[in-house]
Amino acid sequence: MADKPIRVLLVDDHQVVRRGLRTFLEVQDDIEVVGRPPTATRASPGPRSSAPTWSSWT
């Protein structure tokens, strides 16, 4: 496992897609899902400590 996990933000307007991707990613040792907003508007960055290192916008 890496020193720091890859922090992922999942943005999709379909709940089933967000749920499926989250389920898949959360079983990976080096990946942490930090948010799953349904729209880009609600995906505004939060505190720097929760900022993702990768984002999926589908």
Side-chain angles (χ1 to χ4, degrees):
M1 182 156 114
D3 292 339
K4 293 183 181 180
I6 298 168
R7 301 168 60 78
V8 176
L9 178 67
L10 299 173
V11 183
D12 193 288
D13 59 343
H14 296 95
Q15 182 180 12
V16 69
V17 173
R18 291 191 317 270
R19 186 178 297 149
L21 285 171
R22 182 195 69 203
T23 300
F24 173 75
L25 293 172
E26 285 184 340
V27 299
Q28 309 303 314
D29 291 334
D30 57 349
I31 296 178
E32 175 186 1
V33 176
V34 296
R36 344 179 274 286
T39 65
T41 304
R42 295 186 58 196
S44 63
R48 186 93 169 131
S49 62
S50 65
T53 51
W54 187 81
S55 297
S56 170
W57 302 68
T58 60

